[in-house]
Amino acid sequence: MPQANNELINAASRVDIDQWVAKYPADQKQSAVMAALRIVQDQNGGWLTTALMDAVADYLDMDKIHVYEVATFYSMYEHKPVGKHKICVCTNISCMVCGSGEIVEHLEDKLDIKMGGTTEDNRFTLKEVECLGACSGAPMIQIGENYYENLDAERIDKILDELK
Amino acid sequence: MANEVCFRTLHLDEPWTLESYLSVGGYQSLKKILTEKIPADDIIEQLKISALRGRGGAGFPTGLKWSFMPRQTEGQKYIVCNSDEGEPGTCKDRDILRYNPHQLIEGMAIAGYCIGADTGYNYIRGEFWEPYSRFDNALKEAREAGYLGDKLFGTDFNFELHSHLGGGAYVCGEETALLESIEGKKGQPRFKPPFPAGFGLYGKPTTINNTETLASVPVIVEKGGQWFLEHGKPDNGGTKIFAVSGNVKRPGNYEIDMGTPFSELLEMCGGMKDGYKLKAVIPGGSSSPVIPGDQMMDVTMDYDGIQAAGSMLGSGAVIILDDKVCMVNALARLSHFYQEESCGQCTPCREGTGWLSRIMHRIEHGHGKQEDLDLLDKVAGDIMGRTICALGEAASMPVKGFLKHYRDEFQYHIDHKKCMVGAGSK
C-alpha cells in the first residue's frame, strides 16, 4: 500500500481545500473533509485512491478510518476509475413516469455499455443515480457540474456530440 | 396571485442578483429589525401568527422552533439551512437558490438575530453545483454590500454565513444527519433527545430550517404574520411552493396560496398531457401515501386538507401518476430508493427496506407469492416507530398507501405474472 503523502495533493487543490477549512471553526478542520475528497477526486480524473484518501487524512489531521467512512458513505465519491464524462441518469419516480427507461436504453445502446460500465475509450461512464431534485424537468441526467433536463433520445445525441 | 414570497424576484431579468433583490425591497426587513432594535420575541410572535410551518416536510411550526433556542445563555449558537433537497419529486429549493438566493441570506440573518447566532451554514446537496454557485455569488455580493459581516447597519450585530456541499446521501436531509455531515462524518442521524436546540452543530445550540421556510421570513417580517396567514388557512398559513412533476402539460414550481384546490393547481399546469389521464397523485414527496386521482380532485393543497385525505403535504412535491403507470412498478422503484438510502444504523430500517425492495422486485417480475402482500404490509408496519429517524416511516408509508388503493394491481401481477396496465409488457 502506498504511503500517505501530502505531495499527492497538488498546489491548486490545497488552495481550494484551505478555502473550505477557513469556513469552519479553527478546531473543526474535519468539516472540510467532504470538500477535500471532492477536490482531490476531481484532481485525479474523477475517482479516489487509498493514497489520496490517506493524503486527505494527513492534510486535515484526521484518522484514516474516518476519511474512509466518509468516502464510502456518500454516493458522489468513486472508488474505481471512471470515464472522462460521468453520465448520472436519474431513474427515480418522476423521471421514471416521464420516460427515463427509454433514456437508459438509448444511452446503453449508443455507448454500447450497461449501466455502471465505462466505454472502452474511457470517455463515458454510465451511472444510475437517485433523485437529483430536478423533477419538473424529468427525465434528466447530470454530466459533470451540469444538469440536462426534459430529455429525449434526440437531445441526448446532441448533448453527447457536443461533449466530444 | 402567485410568486409573492420566495419567488418574488422571478419576474425580473437575472432575478438572482443583489440589484434585483433590492428592487423588490430586499434586506429592508433585516435593516428595520436591526436599526429599530425590534425584540426577537416580537419577530417570533409574528412567525407564530403567520402559522409558517417547516417547508422541508415535517411541518413543524417555525416560530415555536425558534423559541426553543436558549437565546439568553452565553456562547456560540448556529443557524443552519437545510438545502439538501432530495425527497423524490421535490425541486423547489433548487429554484430558490438559483433565482432568489439573497432572500435566503436575509432570512438566515434574521433567524441568526432571533436565536442569538452569529454564524450560519447552508447545507446544499453536492449535485447542486449551479445553485451552489449562485448562492456563493450572492454571499459575496452581500458581504461586499455590508449585509453580512461585522456590525451590520452600524449595529452590534455580526453575522457570517457559509455554504457547505453534501456528497450524495438522502438521509442528510434529516436534520441531525445533516449536522453530522457538516462535522465531516458519515450522515447518520443522532438519537434524540438531546435536540439540536440544546446540542446541535459542534455540540452548540442550533436551529435547522428548510430553505423555503427561511426564505419566507423576510416577507413575513415586512408584511406581518397576519398577511401571510391570510394567504392560507388557520394553522396552514401562507403561500407554498408546489413542485409538480409527471405528465402534465406544464410541470414546474408553483408558489400559490395554501388551501388552493388541487384541481386548480392541475389547471395551472395546463392539465394532463394529451393522451394521458390522471390516475393518482403522490401529494407531498415520495414518502407521502398515494391518493387516487378522482379523490384528489376534491382535496385542497394544505396540511389539514391532504391529511384528511390520508396523506401528507410533506415537502409539497406533487407527483402526478398517469394511466400508463404501473403501480407495482412505481412502488418497486420507490422501495429500491429507500433501500439504497437507508444509512444502515437501525436494524429495522436497514433490513426492512431490503425486504420491501426484494419483495417488490419479485412481484414486479412475476415471481410474487400470494403471501407477499401480507408480508409487505407486515414488514412496513414492523419498521414504523422502531427507528432513530423518519427514513423508516418514509419507506413504509408508500407501501401502505399503494396497497390500500391499488391492491388489485399487485394481485394481478401475482396471479398473471404480468402487468395489467402495460398490457403484458412485463
Side-chain angles (χ1 to χ4, degrees):
Chain A
M1 188 171 291
Q3 284 289 304
N5 187 347
N6 259 340
E7 299 299 313
L8 285 175
I9 306 177
N10 70 29
S13 295
R14 283 160 187 252
V15 170
D16 208 353
I17 294 170
D18 290 348
Q19 283 174 356
W20 283 90
V21 170
K23 294 182 176 193
Y24 310 101
D27 59 347
Q28 301 290 346
K29 271 165 84 174
Q30 179 171 345
S31 284
V33 68
M34 292 175 67
L37 286 169
R38 175 176 50 76
I39 290 162
V40 299
Q41 174 166 288
D42 287 348
Q43 179 200 307
N44 191 48
W47 66 292
L48 292 167
T49 61
T50 305
L52 273 172
M53 291 189 281
D54 291 350
V56 166
D58 227 28
Y59 198 73
L60 297 176
D61 299 324
M62 290 173 65
D63 291 334
K64 290 174 189 170
I65 182 68
H66 292 140
V67 176
Y68 302 161
E69 279 187 345
V70 170
T72 53
F73 185 84
Y74 298 93
S75 65
M76 292 175 74
Y77 303 118
E78 302 293 341
H79 297 273
K80 285 182 189 151
V82 293
K84 184 178 173 198
H85 303 291
K86 181 167 79 175
I87 304 174
C88 298
V89 188
C90 175
T91 59
N92 210 306
I93 185 92
S94 301
C95 284
M96 186 186 93
V97 303
C98 292
S100 64
E102 285 87 72
I103 300 296
V104 170
E105 215 168 282
H106 183 71
L107 280 165
E108 287 184 336
D109 282 353
K110 190 178 168 70
L111 300 174
D112 196 23
I113 49 173
K114 288 286 167 200
M115 199 50 91
T118 298
T119 54
E120 270 180 25
D121 61 1
N122 284 320
R123 289 192 61 81
F124 298 104
T125 295
L126 271 185
K127 181 174 181 174
E128 181 176 33
V129 294
E130 294 302 340
C131 181
L132 292 182
C135 317
S136 54
M140 65 81 64
I141 59 173
Q142 177 172 30
I143 306 174
E145 292 169 356
N146 300 317
Y147 276 25
Y148 301 88
E149 302 174 48
N150 301 305
L151 299 175
D152 53 30
E154 205 177 316
R155 268 215 75 204
I156 294 269
D157 289 346
K158 202 161 166 268
I159 292 162
L160 294 194
D161 284 347
E162 279 166 11
L163 286 174
K164 278 174 184 169
Chain B
M1 280 287 285
N3 299 341
E4 285 185 79
V5 181
C6 296
F7 287 158
R8 65 177 166 155
T9 55
L10 210 55
H11 61 288
L12 302 167
D13 288 337
E14 302 202 328
W16 53 84
T17 62
L18 178 60
E19 196 188 342
S20 292
Y21 188 52
L22 292 176
S23 77
V24 297
Y27 290 109
Q28 292 307 304
S29 294
L30 180 63
K31 182 181 180 185
K32 183 180 161 78
I33 288 167
L34 294 180
T35 54
E36 295 178 17
K37 299 188 188 333
I38 296 176
D41 282 336
D42 290 6
I43 300 161
I44 290 174
E45 185 54 32
Q46 286 301 313
L47 287 182
K48 287 181 178 170
I49 290 169
S50 78
L52 173 64
R53 291 163 62 170
R55 300 304 198 220
F60 193 83
T62 307
L64 189 60
K65 191 184 240 186
W66 288 14
S67 72
F68 292 152
M69 285 291 279
R71 273 181 291 136
Q72 310 307 334
T73 50
E74 290 289 308
Q76 183 69 53
K77 300 174 196 72
Y78 293 105
I79 174 76
V80 172
C81 176
N82 184 346
S83 299
D84 190 46
E85 186 163 61
E87 171 85 0
T90 317
C91 54
K92 65 191 177 64
D93 297 335
R94 172 175 178 239
D95 279 0
I96 294 174
L97 295 170
R98 290 201 297 170
Y99 299 126
N100 198 7
H102 280 287
Q103 192 159 313
L104 174 59
I105 294 172
E106 185 179 12
M108 289 188 74
I110 294 170
Y113 171 82
C114 289
I115 65 172
D118 66 1
T119 306
Y121 290 98
N122 183 18
Y123 188 105
I124 301 172
R125 64 176 297 173
E127 296 90 342
F128 275 180
W129 194 264
E130 183 198 17
Y132 156 76
S133 301
R134 284 271 169 82
F135 184 75
D136 249 32
N137 278 336
L139 286 179
K140 193 162 160 268
E141 282 184 314
R143 270 185 211 116
E144 283 166 2
Y147 301 124
L148 285 175
D150 288 345
K151 302 202 175 301
L152 299 184
F153 299 103
T155 67
D156 288 336
F157 180 64
N158 307 329
F159 189 71
E160 193 42 87
L161 179 53
H162 306 282
S163 48
H164 181 100
L165 269 176
Y170 167 71
V171 72
C172 287
E174 197 280 342
E175 60 179 11
T176 59
L178 185 148
L179 295 178
E180 289 285 298
S181 187
I182 297 181
E183 291 181 5
K185 301 170 190 163
K186 287 186 289 182
Q188 292 191 315
R190 297 175 183 170
F191 192 82
K192 289 177 273 191
F195 292 94
F199 187 93
L201 182 61
Y202 308 126
K204 310 295 184 193
T206 302
T207 294
I208 303 130
N209 289 121
N210 166 258
T211 315
E212 185 185 352
T213 310
L214 286 163
S216 299
V217 169
V219 178
I220 294 171
V221 170
E222 181 194 325
K223 299 190 172 170
Q226 192 63 32
W227 176 88
F228 192 76
L229 175 67
E230 285 169 5
H231 270 279
K233 298 173 18 184
D235 283 334
N236 296 259
T239 56
K240 170 83 189 82
I241 304 172
F242 294 102
V244 184
S245 62
N247 286 306
V248 293
K249 283 189 179 134
R250 288 188 298 275
N253 284 315
Y254 293 84
E255 184 174 53
I256 54 174
D257 288 356
M258 199 86 90
T260 302
F262 168 75
S263 55
E264 276 181 34
L265 176 61
L266 186 59
E267 253 172 61
M268 289 176 209
C269 298
M272 298 300 292
K273 269 188 197 164
D274 294 337
Y276 294 88
K277 288 196 188 101
L278 178 67
K279 179 173 183 175
V281 178
I282 301 176
S286 63
S287 310
S288 63
V290 65
I291 301 178
D294 51 354
Q295 190 186 341
M296 198 64 201
M297 292 306 274
D298 299 325
V299 171
T300 57
M301 299 303 290
D302 54 84
Y303 295 99
D304 296 343
I306 297 178
Q307 193 175 348
S311 190
M312 301 183 321
L313 180 119
S315 61
V318 181
I319 306 167
I320 306 287
L321 302 179
D322 58 75
D323 57 338
K324 295 179 175 53
V325 175
C326 163
M327 296 316 224
V328 175
N329 187 210
L331 181 59
R333 184 62 188 85
L334 291 180
S335 294
H336 173 76
F337 166 72
Y338 291 106
Q339 181 192 13
E340 282 286 312
E341 299 297 339
S342 173
C343 82
Q345 185 173 216
C346 307
T347 306
C349 174
R350 181 186 65 240
E351 302 301 322
T353 53
W355 275 75
L356 293 176
S357 181
R358 287 189 298 274
I359 298 166
M360 281 311 304
H361 187 268
R362 71 175 179 241
I363 296 175
E364 187 193 1
H365 292 277
H367 308 295
K369 295 173 272 190
Q370 186 55 44
E371 55 268 33
D372 281 347
L373 293 183
D374 289 338
L375 186 58
L376 270 179
D377 199 48
K378 179 176 178 349
V379 172
D382 284 350
I383 298 172
M384 294 175 89
R386 293 185 173 84
T387 56
I388 286 174
C389 84
L391 197 147
E393 263 78 17
S396 304
M397 285 185 297
V399 174
K400 298 257 177 194
F402 275 97
L403 278 179
K404 180 178 164 192
H405 293 295
Y406 298 98
R407 204 180 174 94
D408 57 331
E409 286 193 34
F410 288 71
Q411 189 64 54
Y412 192 93
H413 262 260
I414 290 170
D415 292 343
H416 301 274
K417 318 269 180 229
K418 63 177 185 181
C419 181
M420 68 191 278
V421 177
S425 66
K426 283 265 152 47

